[in-house]
């Protein structure tokens, strides 16, 4: 099917690392994305990775891509209260259609 | 403009009426996407335009939904005979020809009473 799958909720303690996982559908997808949506706000592109890469690091964010298993993860180091949001995984298919997952709601415990 | 612009930001309509939602993509962006986000849900793909190619309409939920893109720029999403289940935030996004970054508008909140 066309479903990009993510777990719905993740709760982490402030200062710990958060790892959000995603399984996508198309082994020929060219780009994989992570978007962030804060309450009442639009979608903000956090980071993306080209399909010929295994890893991408950008400050506190680390993206890992396992093409064999069609698995994408986003690690947020030193999670802060400002990281509370919904995180969406998305894939850009060969035909350029971009499909999103249902989002993972990240909440931060003090 | 500097970003993707959508109008109106809010639309309240009565069941059975037609509505038109507008999207102004970033200047020069050749790709334009429409998505729908129902309350507490993920993004549902609706339709995708790329340049002068025929649009990918595979996500439109019924024949009450249609979209146009005039002159390769502004797009209008039309919902005919609206139903209560059409209530959602309709999001538009655009990208350049290479398409590795998708930029979203703020969305139109549609409420069908």
């Amino acid at each position: 099917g066309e479903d990009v799958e993510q777990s719905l909720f993740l709760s982490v303690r402030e200062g710990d690392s958060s790892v959000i996982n995603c399984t996508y559908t198309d082994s020929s997808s060219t780009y994989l994305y992570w978007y962030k949506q804060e309450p009442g706000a639009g979608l903000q592109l956090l980071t993306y990775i080209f399909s010929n890469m295994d890893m991408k690091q950008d400050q506190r964010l680390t993206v890992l891509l396992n093409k064999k298993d069609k698995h994408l993860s986003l690690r947020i180091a030193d999670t802060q209260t400002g990281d509370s949001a919904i995180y969406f995984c998305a894939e850009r298919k060969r035909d350029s259609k971009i499909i999103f997952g249902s989002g993972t709601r990240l909440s931060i415990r003090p | 403009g500097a970003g993707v612009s959508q109008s109106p930001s809010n639309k309240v309509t009565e069941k059975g009426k037609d509505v038109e939602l507008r999207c102004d993509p970033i200047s020069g962006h050749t790709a334009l996407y429409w998505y729908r986000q129902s309350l507490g849900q993920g993004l549902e793909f609706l339709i995708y335009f790329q340049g002068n190619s025929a649009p990918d309409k595979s996500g439109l939920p019924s024949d009450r939904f249609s979209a146009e893109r005039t002159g390769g720029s502004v797009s209008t999403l039309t919902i005919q005979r609206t139903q209560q289940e059409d209530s959602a935030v309709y999001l538009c996004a655009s990208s350049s020809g290479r398409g590795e970054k998708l930029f979203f508008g703020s969305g139109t909140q549609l409420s069908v009473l």
Side-chain angles (χ1 to χ4, degrees), chain A residues 31 33 35 37 96-98, chain B residues 33 35 37 48 58 100 102:
Chain A
Y31 290 96
Y33 305 87
Y35 279 81
Q37 186 177 40
S96 295
K97 187 189 297 186
I98 299 178
Chain B
Y33 299 77
Y35 294 87
Q37 187 175 27
Y48 158 60
S58 59
E100 69 272 19
L102 195 61

Side-chain angles (χ1 to χ4, degrees), chain A residues 2 31 33 35 37 42-45 48 86 88 92 95-103 105, chain B residues 33 35 37 40-43 45 48 50 56 58 91 97-106:
Chain A
E2 286 205 339
Y31 290 96
Y33 305 87
Y35 279 81
Q37 186 177 40
L43 276 93
Q44 171 196 355
L45 177 64
Y48 65 97
I86 302 175
F88 291 94
R92 183 174 191 252
D95 61 2
S96 295
K97 187 189 297 186
I98 299 178
I99 303 298
F100 284 77
S102 52
R105 185 178 297 273
Chain B
Y33 299 77
Y35 294 87
Q37 187 175 27
Q41 302 296 311
L43 273 72
F45 169 81
Y48 158 60
Q50 172 61 62
D56 181 335
S58 59
L91 292 163
R98 288 187 59 195
E100 69 272 19
K101 294 183 183 179
L102 195 61
F103 296 90
F104 279 85
S106 300

